[in-house]
């Protein structure tokens, strides 16, 4: 995929998102905690772009029994998506750039009173060594970033095109560290950071958008992580 015209952008945005995901939520970043459920903490910043709510979101979660690679492969793979993406109405693979990079067109269920939305984005999965701790296991990241495609111009169907940048960054921890082939799922934990910025593309009342995000994001992350646990529990561990 390195010779694909999108590759420089894919490389830049993916590494930028990895850095952004690893920034903490304390300090002057302006992050406010808006949802909590067990080990899941969800933060948002209130931001508007030309009068539209584009509140960045950052969620931190810790999930037992799955690895970073398993979580990211489920998030990336089209065949699992209908099993966890609750607001999805339709999904098309617009382009297969390589085995680790796809272009998706997704339409999401209409959320009254706003008009229906769709999203066209490239999705890239990769593992990166943890430069801060070479002994730690690799980080895995999936980055989704809006793109254009001649076959799917925006607003050509009934939907308003949203513009999004999303990443999910995961790291596996084995506790207690032991002989690699004696590790059970009870010994592994996956630390997940999910970041998203969605520009709704066309007008939607700030109150509606903020209510949608407040309701949908916690549901989305809980459903996604439960789906991962369910999918992996009877399978050999994929590190
Ligand atoms: C007025 C309503 C406008 C929002 C409509 C909408 C747009 C985009 C998206 C969306 C959410 C997550 C992704 S992803 O993380 O890349 C995974 C792949 O699907 C891509 C798209 C959703 C939704 C609608 C609902 C909604 C909003 C948050 C969370 C969950 N659902």
């Amino acid at each position: 995929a390195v010779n694909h015209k999108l590759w420089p952008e894919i490389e830049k945005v993916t590494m930028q998102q990895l850095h952004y995901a690893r920034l903490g939520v304390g300090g002057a970043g302006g992050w406010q905690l808006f949802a909590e459920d067990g080990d899941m903490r969800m933060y948002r910043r209130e931001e508007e772009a030309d009068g539209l709510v584009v509140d960045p979101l950052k969620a931190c979660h810790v999930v037992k029994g799955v690895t970073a690679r398993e979580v990211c492969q489920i998030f990336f793979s089209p065949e699992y998506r209908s099993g966890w993406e609750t607001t999805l109405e339709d999904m098309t693979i617009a382009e297969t750039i390589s085995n680790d990079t796809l272009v998706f067109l997704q339409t999401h269920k209409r959320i009254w009173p706003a008009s229906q939305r769709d999203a066209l984005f490239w999705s890239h999965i990769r593992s990166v060594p943890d430069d801060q701790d070479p002994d730690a296991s690799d980080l895995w990241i999936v980055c989704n970033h809006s793109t254009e495609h001649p076959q799917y111009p925006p607003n050509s169907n009934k939907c308003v095109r949203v513009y999004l940048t999303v990443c999910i960054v995961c790291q596996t921890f084995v506790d207690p560290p032991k002989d690699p082939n004696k590790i059970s799922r009870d010994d592994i934990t996956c630390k997940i950071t999910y970041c998203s910025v969605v520009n709704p593309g066309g007008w939607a009342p700030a109150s509606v958008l903020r209510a949608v995000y407040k309701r949908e994001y916690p549901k989305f992350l809980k459903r996604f992580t439960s789906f991962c646990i369910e999918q992996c529990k009877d399978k050999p561990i994929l590190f």
Side-chain angles (χ1 to χ4, degrees):
V2 291
N3 48 13
H4 191 275
K5 67 180 179 342
L6 280 176
W7 189 251
E9 179 188 79
I10 292 168
E11 180 69 19
K12 179 172 73 89
V13 174
T14 301
M15 296 319 277
Q16 251 174 4
Q17 284 297 302
L18 173 64
H19 174 75
Y20 176 71
R22 297 174 76 177
L23 294 177
V25 284
W31 292 103
Q32 51 176 273
L33 180 68
F34 79 90
E36 227 174 324
D37 183 302
D39 288 319
M40 183 182 74
R41 303 272 179 285
M42 213 155 244
Y43 305 85
R44 72 167 174 212
R45 281 205 320 258
E46 298 213 349
E47 271 178 30
E48 308 204 354
D50 25 280
L52 287 178
V53 162
V54 290
D55 299 357
L57 177 123
K58 181 177 276 199
C60 305
H61 200 0
V62 178
V63 179
K64 278 196 75 64
V66 289
T67 67
R69 180 176 176 187
E70 291 169 336
V71 169
C72 283
Q73 284 185 336
I74 291 170
F75 188 82
F76 173 75
S77 305
E79 60 269 23
Y80 295 115
R81 195 153 302 170
S82 56
W84 54 266
E85 178 58 286
T86 45
T87 63
L88 197 62
E89 185 171 281
D90 190 42
M91 178 192 77
T92 309
I93 298 174
E95 190 179 346
T96 299
I97 294 179
S98 64
N99 66 352
D100 62 10
T101 310
L102 300 170
V103 179
F104 291 99
L105 174 70
Q106 294 189 168
T107 54
H108 287 260
K109 291 185 182 105
R110 180 168 182 263
I111 294 172
W112 186 87
S115 41
Q116 188 169 30
R117 257 77 181 168
D118 69 8
L120 180 71
F121 55 91
W122 53 255
S123 184
H124 175 59
I125 184 171
R126 81 162 68 173
S127 66
V128 285
D130 181 346
D131 51 13
Q132 278 150 0
D133 175 0
D135 297 344
S137 61
D138 279 7
L139 288 157
W140 280 81
I141 177 170
V142 179
C143 184
N144 294 345
H145 182 73
S146 286
T147 189
E148 293 167 349
H149 193 286
Q151 210 173 324
Y152 304 99
N155 313 323
S156 56
N157 51 14
K158 57 191 183 307
C159 296
V160 171
R161 175 75 39 97
V162 303
Y163 296 91
L164 59 84
T165 302
V166 165
C167 74
I168 186 166
V169 176
C170 299
Q171 186 155 28
T172 312
F173 296 89
V174 182
D175 182 36
K178 54 167 61 165
D179 177 345
N181 49 38
K182 288 200 179 63
I183 297 172
S184 84
R185 287 200 178 272
D186 295 341
D187 305 323
I188 55 175
T189 302
C190 181
K191 187 172 174 301
I192 299 174
T193 303
Y194 172 88
C195 300
S196 98
V197 180
V198 177
N199 180 318
W203 190 75
S207 55
V208 166
L209 277 169
R210 289 192 167 121
V212 166
Y213 295 159
K214 190 170 171 66
R215 187 184 68 236
E216 293 296 337
Y217 272 117
K219 213 164 69 178
F220 159 85
L221 200 57
K222 277 184 65 170
R223 167 107 184 194
F224 171 67
T225 50
S226 314
F227 182 85
C228 290
I229 293 165
E230 200 48 39
Q231 273 298 317
C232 298
K233 70 181 186 348
D234 304 326
K235 292 177 185 160
I237 304 173
L238 209 54
F239 285 104

